[in-house]
Amino acid sequence: MVTSAEQRSRIRQRQVLFPFFLPLFCRALSEQIRYSIPEEMARGSVVGNLAEDLGLHVRDLLTRNLRVSAEKQYFTVNTDNGHILISDRIDRESLCPQQPLCVLPLEIVAENPLNVFHINVMIEDINDNPPHFPKDRIVLQINEFAIRGSRFGLESAIDADVGRNSLQSYQLSTNGHFSLMVKDKTKGKNAPELVLEKPLDREQQSSHLLVLTALDGGDPVRTGTTEIQIEVTDANDNPPVFSQDEYRVSLRENVPPGTSVLMVTATDQDEGINAEITYSFKTLRDDVGNMFMIDHQSGEIKSRDLIDFEISSSYTMSIEAKDGGGLATECKIILDILDENDNAPDVVFTSVATSITEDAEPGTVIALFKTHDKDSGENGEITCLIKETVPFRIESSANNYYKLVTDGTLDREQTSEYNITITATDKGKPPLSSSTSVTLHIADVNDNAPVFHQASYVVHVAENNPPGASIARVSASDSDLGPNGRVSYSIVASDLEPRLLSSYVSVSAQSGVVFAQRAFDHEQLRAFELTLQARDQGWPALSANVSLRVLVGDLNDNAPRVLYPALGPDGSALFDTVPRAAQPGYLVTKVVAVDADSGQNAWLSYHVLQASESGLFSLGLRTGEVRMARALGDRDASRQRLLVAVHDGGQPPLSATATLYLVFADSLQEALPDLKDRPAPSDPQAELQFYLVVALALISVLFLLAVILAIALRVRRSSSPTTWSCFQPGLCSKTELGVSPNYNEGTLPYSYNLYAASNSGKTRFNLLTTTPEMIPPQDLCNEASVVQAPPNTDWRFSQAQRPGTSGSQNGDETGTWPNNQFDTEMLQAMILASASEAADGSSTLGGGAGTMGLSARYGPQFTLQHVPDYRQNVYIPGSNATLTNAAGKRDGKAPAGGNGNKKKSGKKEKK
């Protein structure tokens, strides 16, 4: 007897084992879902609530893509309510011929997550097929000596339905000789037989016509009829006998038509015509009649068409042997078809993705497929593989289902599309295989930054470019697609001022073309650098930077500018004095010019255009130094004029001119009369005008003299002698400047401003301070005498007129000279010192520190603070360098770097 403790122990063991068996029970439950429906239901009819039976929520049906996976779609799933519906006509007789139980297996596929459910739909038979006989008329020959109780077999009726709807009974029309008897034949088929109840008398009635009716068990009952024509013959009392009642043979499929299957034999103990036997199929179905044929005389059965194991694996047929007397007997033949590996496996995709992003994780499911092989045994066992070397693999699932998953990292930039070929191979001999390809597109993600085609860019732009012109183009490429690979350009940094950057350059966001927003000037900006950024439009956006250096090239757009000789305040040119004893090679003066351009465009050369005396002076081609070429001759004029042209080295060259007035004198007093009568420049056009004016003046003077003579004669007659006192000789005859008779060598008893104008043709003297003894009283009545200017206690030399070097000045930087009792002595001393310095050649053009090296005899003083620094513009022939060290050494500073930010003073002064 079992105690209570043992019972409790068993109960606990059951509780422990229950969780382990629960998955098996659930699987069993999932496989036991069945539905039963009658055949021939209308399309759209509801089979059952699949969602409820599977335990799924209706709201998840659409997202899980619940569907039926079958070779022929008889059913569909309504994702709105979970009902499984009929989508096509279902005929049980075509699906399950001659089978009492018709079950249609279905596979329900759900995704997210992926599940496969197996259900069975049982197709119930309805009475939609009436019984029918193979022949509408049956002819029987019965010997008149047939004894009572003789039986005559009839062909059974055929009913495609099963169960109660199949053939159930027969009825024979009323007659006086025969009754009907039904006996069980092969596989439960009822075979009707006529039983002779009353002997036949051919002489009384040679034939009988009977009607045989077949009835099924449906509601309502359906029937089929055939006529039985009975012909009464003479007696034949021995029917044929087969060697076997049942034959069983095997035949391989795909044998050629005409192949012999079996030969049956039957014997008859009668003689004569009653022993002649003929063979035929009994109760022949369409599939048997189409596949096989029989020789009626020999009983040999042959194949009529190709035999396919996948259509039917066995055939059952009845062979009838009938003698000449009408007696017949039957035998049964069972033919088994042997399978051959004649069907390649099939690969059917139930779910497949057309694209996947390149950042998908390994193990991502790409497709779901299943395999099927119509063969059986080893011929139907399948293995799947991928032939290509691709980052994908096949994972096996249940019931011949497989998954195609990723097996590595993907990179669209290397491979944007995969053609995956899945090959299914069976294990037959020889094996058969089939392949199915899947095209998978790799979707792009923004994983590549733009890349410039060059590490850096350097462009050369000539100055004076038109605004809006393109000066450079940067290009970057992005291997991504769409917005991820669409690049836009922008300027993110520059060494220019931020507020001026937009006025200098801009960049096209689409093309990367850099445009100049203004005309560049080499003299103001020689080079600048930009930082350009290429940025894609992905998320997150990726970018890359590159530097672009723009070098502004120089053009010859600035003419040389003459710094010395300069013009006076009234625009007239100054003069230089030269000692009469100057020897050949003596440095007379120097033409100083600068050019705001650089390089060869600033390479200056000096040329003499016009000279009063050819060969008297020589001009340095590169230095601009004017030197004595020979000594002054007796026939040479004391006043000389040189017209010097300054050319730069540009193409085309630009030029400027300078006019030098040179007076040979040993002192200023000696040079003054020459300055007074100095002729105007010998310009051909001016000379022509001068001659015209002289001619006109001569005519006017003659006319005026005639008028004056007439008036004088008339006045002489009527005037007193005192009227002519002013016209007497010696009263107003002094036409030259009045100089004090107390004038001594080396002194000037008056102060004056001296202007030597090159275009006035005369010398103008403004006498600021005079003494009574300077001009005699009688000269005051002469209108041609010099008018004395009012005295000015604060008079100045202008910047262009100040004599001497900056080191020898006694005044302030503005040019103001002290006005004291030593003014005239100081001026005289400076002039004499200049003359002496020129005579002994002690002064050079490279002298005093801080000046341009000009002596006092050259007139104006030039300090470095008044002269723009054009040292970087001096071009050295045969070299790519410029002269930048001289001024730097003199000023104690390093040469200016070419950073493009110099002040363009040359152009401003030119304007």
Side-chain angles (χ1 to χ4, degrees):
M1 183 174 181
V2 180
T3 62
S4 58
E6 294 177 351
Q7 292 178 353
R8 287 194 298 270
S9 175
R10 292 178 180 178
I11 293 174
R12 284 195 298 269
Q13 291 177 358
R14 293 172 184 173
Q15 291 176 350
V16 171
L17 293 176
F18 179 74
F20 293 97
F21 290 107
L22 182 59
L24 300 178
F25 295 156
C26 294
R27 182 177 180 182
L29 291 175
S30 63
E31 294 178 352
Q32 291 177 359
I33 297 176
R34 294 186 179 183
Y35 297 101
S36 180
I37 60 171
E39 66 174 332
E40 303 291 347
M41 289 186 69
R43 290 182 175 89
S45 300
V46 177
V47 177
N49 193 329
L50 185 61
E52 180 179 355
D53 295 336
L54 294 178
L56 302 176
H57 293 287
V58 177
R59 63 177 179 272
D60 298 332
L61 298 182
L62 186 60
T63 58
R64 298 199 63 182
N65 192 16
L66 192 67
R67 63 191 182 278
V68 178
S69 175
E71 294 183 3
K72 187 171 183 181
Q73 296 292 332
Y74 290 105
F75 303 92
T76 59
V77 177
N78 188 341
T79 57
D80 295 332
N81 50 27
H83 289 166
I84 182 170
L85 308 177
I86 295 177
S87 61
D88 198 359
R89 175 177 175 267
I90 300 176
D91 186 7
R92 192 202 66 81
E93 287 73 30
S94 62
L95 293 176
C96 309
Q98 302 299 322
Q99 294 183 10
L101 184 62
C102 184
V103 178
L104 186 61
L106 297 180
E107 295 173 348
I108 307 300
V109 180
E111 298 180 353
N112 302 320
L114 182 65
N115 290 321
V116 179
F117 305 95
H118 301 273
I119 67 173
N120 293 327
V121 180
M122 181 177 296
I123 309 302
E124 299 177 354
D125 182 59
I126 62 174
N127 192 20
D128 57 339
N129 294 283
H132 67 280
F133 291 89
K135 297 180 180 179
D136 295 336
R137 188 179 183 87
I138 300 175
V139 177
L140 293 178
Q141 294 180 351
I142 302 177
N143 192 273
E144 62 180 350
F145 292 133
I147 62 175
R148 183 183 294 178
S150 298
R151 299 180 180 184
F152 305 95
L154 302 176
E155 293 183 3
S156 298
I158 301 173
D159 194 342
D161 296 328
V162 296
R164 292 185 57 83
N165 297 323
S166 63
L167 178 64
Q168 299 294 326
S169 61
Y170 296 91
Q171 291 182 357
L172 185 64
S173 61
T174 304
N175 64 87
H177 293 275
F178 298 94
S179 64
L180 186 64
M181 182 178 179
V182 179
K183 72 173 183 178
D184 191 7
K185 282 280 187 174
T186 60
K187 290 191 177 180
K189 297 294 183 181
N190 295 330
E193 291 182 341
L194 285 177
V195 179
L196 184 61
E197 298 290 342
K198 181 179 179 181
L200 298 175
D201 187 0
R202 189 187 64 80
E203 287 72 25
Q204 291 183 0
Q205 188 176 355
S206 60
S207 63
H208 300 270
L209 183 60
L210 305 177
V211 177
L212 179 62
T213 302
L215 299 89
D216 61 16
D219 187 14
V221 177
R222 308 190 72 169
T223 61
T225 60
T226 184
E227 292 182 352
I228 302 175
Q229 179 70 35
I230 299 176
E231 297 177 357
V232 180
T233 62
D234 289 337
N236 180 21
D237 55 352
N238 291 292
V241 177
F242 282 99
S243 60
Q244 297 181 23
D245 292 336
E246 181 176 303
Y247 295 87
R248 192 177 191 96
V249 293
S250 298
L251 180 67
R252 290 189 173 275
E253 65 173 332
N254 298 326
V255 294
T259 301
S260 178
V261 178
L262 177 66
M263 180 178 288
V264 295
T265 56
T267 58
D268 195 324
Q269 295 179 0
D270 296 327
E271 293 181 354
I273 192 171
N274 292 328
E276 295 180 359
I277 301 174
T278 58
Y279 302 92
S280 63
F281 288 110
K282 189 77 171 180
T283 313
L284 185 65
R285 298 197 308 269
D286 292 340
D287 56 348
V288 176
N290 295 330
M291 302 301 296
F292 303 97
M293 57 185 177
I294 188 171
D295 189 334
H296 299 287
Q297 301 301 323
S298 63
E300 183 180 9
I301 301 173
K302 297 181 180 181
S303 61
R304 185 189 296 273
D305 201 352
L306 289 176
I307 308 299
D308 191 354
F309 172 84
E310 288 70 39
I311 296 178
S312 179
S313 60
S314 65
Y315 294 91
T316 301
M317 59 192 83
S318 296
I319 304 299
E320 180 184 63
K322 181 183 293 185
D323 58 18
L327 296 179
T329 185
E330 296 178 9
C331 72
K332 179 181 178 181
I333 298 176
I334 299 176
L335 178 60
D336 295 325
I337 307 301
L338 302 179
D339 183 44
E340 293 285 336
N341 191 24
D342 59 344
N343 292 279
D346 295 328
V347 178
V348 179
F349 283 90
T350 59
S351 178
V352 60
T354 58
S355 66
I356 185 175
T357 59
E358 59 180 322
D359 59 349
E361 296 292 335
T364 302
V365 178
I366 304 301
L368 176 68
F369 64 93
K370 67 176 181 178
T371 58
H372 175 68
D373 196 324
K374 294 181 181 179
D375 296 324
S376 61
E378 290 186 352
N379 297 331
E381 295 181 6
I382 303 172
T383 57
C384 296
L385 56 89
I386 301 175
K387 289 186 176 180
E388 301 89 355
T389 304
V390 292
F392 303 96
R393 71 175 186 273
I394 297 175
E395 291 184 355
S396 177
S397 184
N399 297 325
N400 293 332
Y401 271 88
Y402 300 88
K403 295 178 183 178
L404 179 63
V405 299
T406 58
D407 190 27
T409 58
L410 305 176
D411 189 354
R412 189 207 63 81
E413 287 71 34
Q414 293 184 358
T415 306
S416 60
E417 181 180 281
Y418 289 95
N419 288 322
I420 308 170
T421 301
I422 299 176
T423 302
T425 306
D426 59 25
K427 295 183 179 180
K429 294 180 180 179
L432 299 179
S433 62
S434 63
S435 300
T436 302
S437 297
V438 175
T439 301
L440 182 64
H441 300 277
I442 307 302
D444 183 58
V445 297
N446 192 24
D447 57 346
N448 291 278
V451 177
F452 282 96
H453 296 168
Q454 297 182 22
S456 62
Y457 293 84
V458 177
V459 295
H460 296 266
V461 182
E463 65 175 334
N464 302 328
N465 57 287
S470 64
I471 61 175
R473 179 176 183 177
V474 297
S475 180
S477 59
D478 196 318
S479 54
D480 294 324
L481 288 180
N484 297 332
R486 194 175 302 129
V487 179
S488 61
Y489 303 90
S490 62
I491 301 176
V492 297
S494 173
D495 55 0
L496 299 172
E497 295 185 15
R499 60 185 181 87
L500 299 179
L501 177 61
S502 60
S503 65
Y504 275 88
V505 290
S506 65
V507 63
S508 173
Q510 289 75 26
S511 63
V513 177
V514 181
F515 297 95
Q517 298 298 104
R518 62 163 63 179
F520 296 146
D521 191 349
H522 174 79
E523 288 70 37
Q524 290 185 352
L525 182 67
R526 292 195 172 188
F528 60 93
E529 189 166 333
L530 305 174
T531 300
L532 301 175
Q533 183 181 83
R535 187 182 184 89
D536 60 27
Q537 298 181 11
W539 181 260
L542 302 177
S543 62
N545 294 343
V546 71
S547 64
L548 170 64
R549 182 167 180 81
V550 180
L551 304 178
V552 180
D554 182 53
L555 293 179
N556 192 25
D557 57 345
N558 292 278
R561 179 170 175 264
V562 178
L563 298 180
Y564 182 83
L567 299 178
D570 57 352
S572 61
L574 303 180
F575 71 96
D576 288 303
T577 60
V578 183
R580 294 182 178 272
Q583 296 300 316
Y586 176 79
L587 178 61
V588 177
T589 186
K590 181 176 181 179
V591 179
V592 180
V594 292
D595 196 316
D597 295 322
S598 63
Q600 188 171 352
N601 297 329
W603 186 19
L604 301 182
S605 61
Y606 301 85
H607 308 272
V608 177
L609 294 182
Q610 294 180 3
S612 300
E613 293 290 341
S614 60
L616 183 58
F617 302 99
S618 64
L619 179 64
L621 179 64
R622 299 302 176 191
T623 62
E625 295 178 349
V626 179
R627 295 181 180 271
M628 294 293 296
R630 61 180 175 84
L632 181 67
D634 296 336
R635 296 183 179 182
D636 295 330
S638 61
R639 292 173 299 177
Q640 297 291 331
R641 175 179 174 272
L642 287 179
L643 181 61
V644 177
V646 183
H647 299 280
D648 60 22
Q651 292 296 331
L654 301 179
S655 62
T657 59
T659 303
L660 299 176
Y661 292 101
L662 305 175
V663 178
F664 285 89
D666 293 331
S667 63
L668 179 61
Q669 289 76 7
E670 184 181 354
L672 290 178
D674 294 331
L675 292 175
K676 178 180 177 182
D677 299 331
R678 179 163 51 90
S682 58
D683 188 5
Q685 186 69 20
E687 290 180 0
L688 178 61
Q689 295 178 359
F690 173 74
Y691 293 143
L692 293 177
V693 172
V694 169
L696 181 60
L698 182 59
I699 295 173
S700 301
V701 168
L702 292 177
F703 175 75
L704 183 60
L705 290 177
V707 173
I708 292 174
L709 182 60
I711 294 174
L713 292 176
R714 187 174 182 87
V715 171
R716 187 173 184 180
R717 294 192 188 103
S718 59
S719 301
S720 62
T722 59
T723 308
W724 296 87
S725 61
C726 194
F727 296 95
Q728 294 298 323
L731 293 178
C732 297
S733 60
K734 191 173 184 62
T735 59
E736 294 185 359
L737 291 174
V739 180
S740 174
N742 297 326
Y743 167 75
N744 293 321
E745 181 73 17
T747 62
L748 290 176
Y750 56 87
S751 300
Y752 63 94
N753 285 337
L754 176 62
Y755 298 93
S758 63
N759 55 358
S760 63
K762 65 181 180 178
T763 304
R764 175 166 59 90
F765 297 93
N766 292 334
L767 303 180
L768 303 179
T769 305
T770 61
T771 57
E773 64 271 19
M774 291 175 60
I775 301 177
Q778 61 269 23
D779 292 339
L780 297 176
C781 62
N782 191 354
E783 295 180 359
S785 63
V786 179
V787 180
Q788 179 179 351
N792 185 359
T793 60
D794 186 17
W795 63 280
R796 307 165 184 262
F797 281 109
S798 67
Q799 177 72 14
Q801 296 168 332
R802 186 184 306 168
T805 62
S806 60
S808 62
Q809 291 187 41
N810 294 325
D812 58 7
E813 188 64 28
T814 62
T816 302
W817 290 80
N819 187 15
N820 51 37
Q821 65 270 24
F822 300 105
D823 286 344
T824 56
E825 287 78 4
M826 292 175 63
L827 177 60
Q828 180 185 8
M830 285 189 293
I831 294 174
L832 295 178
S834 299
S836 301
E837 188 178 0
D840 59 13
S842 60
S843 176
T844 63
L845 292 177
T851 69
M852 294 295 292
L854 301 180
S855 175
R857 65 178 179 272
Y858 304 132
Q861 168 205 7
F862 296 96
T863 61
L864 287 179
Q865 61 181 349
H866 301 102
V867 180
D869 187 3
Y870 295 97
R871 292 167 295 180
Q872 67 275 20
N873 299 343
V874 177
Y875 173 74
I876 302 175
S879 172
N880 56 2
T882 57
L883 185 59
T884 60
N885 59 344
K889 292 179 180 179
R890 181 174 62 240
D891 299 338
K893 299 180 181 179
N899 57 359
N901 296 324
K902 68 170 185 174
K903 181 179 179 183
K904 190 174 180 181
S905 60
K907 282 195 173 182
K908 293 183 179 179
E909 293 178 3
K910 180 178 71 174
K911 294 179 181 178

